[in-house]
Amino acid sequence: MTHKTTLSFTDRHHRFLTEKVGEGVFASQSAAVAAALEQMIRDEEERAILLDGMVDEIRARMQTSRDEYVEPAPAFAAARQAI
């Protein structure tokens, strides 16, 4: 389902959109904006996964004595694989 809306762009953004449509990178300015929004959504999802992994690791480390700390690379491997 699509919704019609009105957006305002700076000269810089409008020029960029127009160039990309002209180059054939996007079929329309709407398609370019939709692609940018999809990228933002993916970025947000990736960030949430990484933050959740960090929260879990911090909570676990708070229960662990210093001599039992683990290296960060293996600790975050599961979060990295999820993205």
Side-chain angles (χ1 to χ4, degrees), residues 7-26 28-29 32-33:
L7 300 172
S8 299
F9 297 105
T10 63
D11 289 341
R12 177 178 182 238
H13 295 153
H14 185 261
R15 199 169 34 254
F16 181 80
L17 283 170
T18 302
E19 287 173 8
K20 293 303 172 187
V21 171
E23 293 169 1
V25 177
F26 297 101
S28 66
Q29 290 181 343
V33 171

Side-chain angles (χ1 to χ4, degrees), residues 1-72:
M1 179 175 185
T2 61
H3 297 275
K4 191 171 183 88
T5 190
T6 301
L7 300 172
S8 299
F9 297 105
T10 63
D11 289 341
R12 177 178 182 238
H13 295 153
H14 185 261
R15 199 169 34 254
F16 181 80
L17 283 170
T18 302
E19 287 173 8
K20 293 303 172 187
V21 171
E23 293 169 1
V25 177
F26 297 101
S28 66
Q29 290 181 343
S30 291
V33 171
L37 289 170
E38 286 298 327
Q39 184 61 53
M40 289 173 63
I41 291 168
R42 285 191 300 272
D43 291 348
E44 289 278 329
E45 290 169 346
E46 179 179 332
R47 183 175 183 269
I49 290 168
L50 292 172
L51 287 175
D52 287 347
M54 289 175 64
V55 166
D56 293 344
E57 185 60 27
I58 290 168
R59 285 188 178 135
R61 283 186 179 221
M62 289 174 66
Q63 303 300 319
T64 306
S65 65
R66 283 193 181 271
D67 60 326
E68 296 180 64
Y69 277 13
V70 297
E71 292 298 317

